[in-house]
Amino acid sequence: MNYKIVRLNTGLRTSKTSSVLIIYTGGTLGMAYDDSGSLVPFNFGKILEKIPILSNMNIAITVISFPEPIDSSNVSMKHWTDMAYIVNENYDSYDGFVVLHGTDTMAYSASMMSYMLQGLNKPVIFTGAQLPISAMRSDARENLMTSLEIATAKINGNPIVPEVCVFFNHMLLRGNRAKKVQSVHFDAFESENFPSLAEAGIVIDYNTAAIRPYEPKKELIYNTQLDNRVMILKLFPGITSKIMDACFDIPGLRGVVLETYGSGNSPSEGWFMNSLARAVKNGLIILNVSQCNGGRVIQGRYETSKELLNVGVVSGADITTEAAITKLMFLLGQYSSADEVKKRLMIPIAGEMTT
């Protein structure tokens, strides 16, 4: 992959100057209006013209751009592998990383990066914007500048936030706990089941109790094996056995994230449970997550969810759908044994669920 590399002339460089690698994948933040009024990808070599205050930050900034910026709706496993590869290849050269990404699938990408980059001890901050950087009221400037500050923030020489995060509209969230909930407001992301890691006001107030601790003895392990033979099936009143069986009989399918009601409830009719039991018996891994934003699956709390447990459906606890489907893809890429995948689905990899 032929990446485009730009080194910005920012700040007074000294031996104490922090360094950040910006990975530009695409998205609204990196767009600008051309002479005809159309949105086109922005040339990051000229970013100082858009955000001149960056010149006053004592940060050495390098930008690596994807050859062709992508709409986040088109993000695939290849793009996740590329993002993780860039972090891995440049890990020792920078204090932190900022990933500029479209908002629609940012929570999926941040979740997957948290799994692929095991042993991470540096900040990887995903951010973006609801309005392009050239727009008068754009949120791009503040999101980018604060993300850069967080990516270089240290205490006693150690990074304050050594994990994959999403920063958006003043809030820093754990990446695999974030969910996009707004498309027309600046507060696009929420983390209902886990507290925010920081809030940016006059100062950045870090919630150190919620942040994963810095572990100096850990080394970065870059995992590339993924398996996308998965799907998400959302339950709804009126779902039929034909729909269930058609989904479960997809050739090659290995895993399903089943979005159930409330705390993990589902229809209790015989045909429904029989369909699930048959699928599990045939080797399909089914992970139960709640449809509710902020929901938590408690299999066995009600009679209907107890039956799910009995047929072999795995509880996803309070994991988000975005973190669940990417975790399933990640684990299926690492292990061939369905039993091993099921066991590891119930164990947090990077703080994505509460056990």
Side-chain angles (χ1 to χ4, degrees), residues 184-240:
V184 295
H185 299 292
F186 287 141
D187 54 343
F189 290 86
E190 289 183 357
S191 174
E192 288 293 326
N193 285 336
F194 198 77
S196 60
L197 305 187
E199 184 171 358
I202 295 176
V203 297
I204 300 177
D205 184 16
Y206 292 97
N207 181 5
T208 54
I211 298 171
R212 299 191 74 195
Y214 174 72
E215 300 178 88
K217 293 184 179 180
K218 284 200 171 182
E219 295 184 2
L220 184 68
I221 300 174
Y222 165 49
N223 297 290
T224 61
Q225 298 301 311
L226 308 175
D227 191 335
N228 65 351
R229 289 176 290 176
V230 298
M231 67 169 292
I232 299 170
L233 177 59
K234 188 185 185 87
L235 295 187
F236 59 91
I239 193 170
T240 66

Side-chain angles (χ1 to χ4, degrees), residues 32-195:
Y33 293 102
D34 64 11
D35 294 337
S36 67
S38 300
L39 280 173
V40 295
F42 176 67
N43 179 1
F44 269 89
K46 298 182 179 180
I47 194 171
L48 296 179
E49 297 176 9
K50 300 293 183 182
I51 313 179
I53 198 171
L54 285 176
S55 299
N56 299 330
M57 299 182 75
N58 191 29
I59 302 175
I61 301 173
T62 301
V63 182
I64 290 183
S65 298
F66 278 16
E68 295 295 331
I70 55 171
D71 186 298
S72 71
S73 298
N74 292 322
V75 164
S76 67
M77 288 197 306
K78 178 185 181 302
H79 300 117
W80 289 333
T81 301
D82 288 340
M83 292 177 213
Y85 171 83
I86 293 172
V87 173
N88 181 64
E89 286 295 299
N90 295 278
Y91 189 69
D92 294 331
S93 301
Y94 295 90
D95 294 303
F97 303 84
V98 172
V99 183
L100 304 184
H101 194 290
T103 59
D104 286 345
T105 58
M106 186 184 293
Y108 292 92
S109 293
S111 295
M112 184 60 88
M113 286 303 101
S114 75
Y115 307 141
M116 294 181 74
L117 299 171
Q118 293 296 292
L120 182 70
N121 254 328
K122 294 183 179 182
V124 176
I125 313 300
F126 278 76
T127 194
Q130 296 288 66
L131 289 173
I133 199 167
S134 59
M136 183 178 298
R137 296 189 304 107
S138 176
D139 53 336
R141 300 176 187 84
E142 182 176 342
N143 286 347
L144 175 56
M145 290 183 62
T146 307
S147 293
L148 289 169
E149 187 173 348
I150 292 170
T152 57
K154 295 181 179 182
I155 294 180
N156 299 324
N158 298 326
I160 296 178
V161 190
E163 59 175 293
V164 179
C165 303
V166 168
F167 179 79
F168 221 89
N169 191 45
H170 311 295
M171 305 301 295
L172 182 70
L173 310 175
R174 176 166 290 168
N176 54 37
R177 293 284 193 157
K179 177 183 285 288
K180 185 177 180 181
V181 295
Q182 288 284 352
S183 61
V184 295
H185 299 292
F186 287 141
D187 54 343
F189 290 86
E190 289 183 357
S191 174
E192 288 293 326
N193 285 336
F194 198 77

